[in-house]
Structure formats: C-alpha cells, structure tokens
C-alpha cells in the first residue's frame, strides 16, 4: 500500500478520525503491512502489548478465556489499550479469514503523539466517545 492509501484507511478509523492529514501521513509512514492467514493467532491474552492493528481487509475474532466477545472487520482496529496504557493484552485475537493488517508500534504511535498536542486531543476525544457509547449501552 502506498502512503496515501494508508491515510485514506486511517481517516475511516474512529481512533484517528479527528487527526489532520499531516498527522495521518506521519502514522501511515510508520505502519507496517502484516498478512495473517485464517486461523492464526495475532496475539494472546496476557501478552505484553507492543502494537495496535488496523484491519485493511478480512475478519478477526476477539476472545477472552476462549469465548468470543466480538468479530471485527475492515477499518476496525484492536490492541489500542495495551499500546496506550502499557498493560498486558486483555484478550486474544485470531484471524477468522485471511487478513491484511496495518501494524503500528507503540514507540512510533507515541512519537506521533509527542509531536502534536492536537493529535493527543484527537485520541482522547475518540476514547471519550467510545466510553460514552459503551456506557450508554448499559450493563
């Protein structure tokens, strides 16, 4: 994928939706394409989280304690909590179909955030919206 294709994908991802084109370009330049075959584990619950992933194409399932919590597809992302907090992975993720993913390393993401207060605010706004949406769903 060329950088512009990555920027267009990143713009569709709610975690990055409030970022400028320049900030998205910085993120796009440091992402790496990863191919995961169907059935393969992308990461396991309890592992140290060093990267977040964006789904370019394909589907994954999120598992906790072996039970499926949800399925994710194109333009979804996962692994962001471990990247932002440094905590261990709170779930496992397995490719349901062949997947093309973009991998964003923790250090690269932090470098983009360190260079722009606006990027930090964009991520905070997105996380707040997600928390509001999840709390509105109720227990």
């Amino acid at each position: 994928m060329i950088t512009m294709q990555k920027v267009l994908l990143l713009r569709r991802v709610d975690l990055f939706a409030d970022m400028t084109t320049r900030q998205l370009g910085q993120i796009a330049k440091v992402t790496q394409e990863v191919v995961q075959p169907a059935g393969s584990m992308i990461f396991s619950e309890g592992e140290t989280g060093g990267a977040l992933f964006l789904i370019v194409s394909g589907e994954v399932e999120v598992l906790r304690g072996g039970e499926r919590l949800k399925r994710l597809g194109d333009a979804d992302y996962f692994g962001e909590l471990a990247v932002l907090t440094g905590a261990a992975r709170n779930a496992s993720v397995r490719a349901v179909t062949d997947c093309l993913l973009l991998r964003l390393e923790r250090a690269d993401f932090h470098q983009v955030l360190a260079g722009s207060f606006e990027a930090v605010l964009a991520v905070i706004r997105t996380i707040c919206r997600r928390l509001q949406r999840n709390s509105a769903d109720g227990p």
Side-chain angles (χ1 to χ4, degrees):
M1 294 179 78
I2 60 173
T3 301
M4 186 50 74
Q5 289 173 309
K6 290 180 181 181
V7 167
L8 292 173
L9 173 67
L10 290 168
R11 189 169 301 291
R12 293 176 36 216
V13 175
D14 71 350
L15 183 64
F16 305 112
D18 291 338
M19 291 189 179
T20 66
T21 300
R22 185 178 132 281
Q23 293 160 344
L24 294 175
Q26 291 174 320
I27 292 172
K29 287 178 186 175
V30 295
T31 60
Q32 302 140 2
E33 292 180 41
V34 177
V35 175
Q36 289 287 149
S40 65
M41 289 299 289
I42 299 165
F43 57 72
S44 296
E45 189 173 348
E47 291 179 356
T48 300
L52 70 88
F53 297 84
L54 304 129
I55 304 171
V56 177
S57 63
E59 288 189 356
V60 303
E61 59 184 355
V62 180
L63 309 159
R64 185 174 297 134
E67 291 189 39
R68 182 172 23 160
L69 300 176
K70 59 185 165 181
R71 276 178 94 133
L72 303 172
D74 297 1
D76 283 328
Y77 58 94
F78 54 93
E80 73 282 1
L81 291 179
V83 168
L84 291 169
T85 67
R89 302 283 190 193
N90 64 7
S92 299
V93 178
R94 178 175 43 221
V96 175
T97 64
D98 291 342
C99 294
L100 175 58
L101 309 172
L102 292 181
R103 179 184 173 107
L104 178 57
E105 295 292 334
R106 181 177 197 197
D108 292 328
F109 189 43
H110 286 187
Q111 186 172 5
V112 170
L113 295 178
S116 172
F117 182 67
E118 291 80 19
V120 173
L121 287 176
V123 170
I124 290 170
R125 279 192 298 271
T126 301
I127 291 169
C128 288
R129 280 194 303 266
R130 181 184 268 192
L131 287 171
Q132 286 174 329
R133 194 171 48 242
N134 288 343
S135 66
D137 292 341

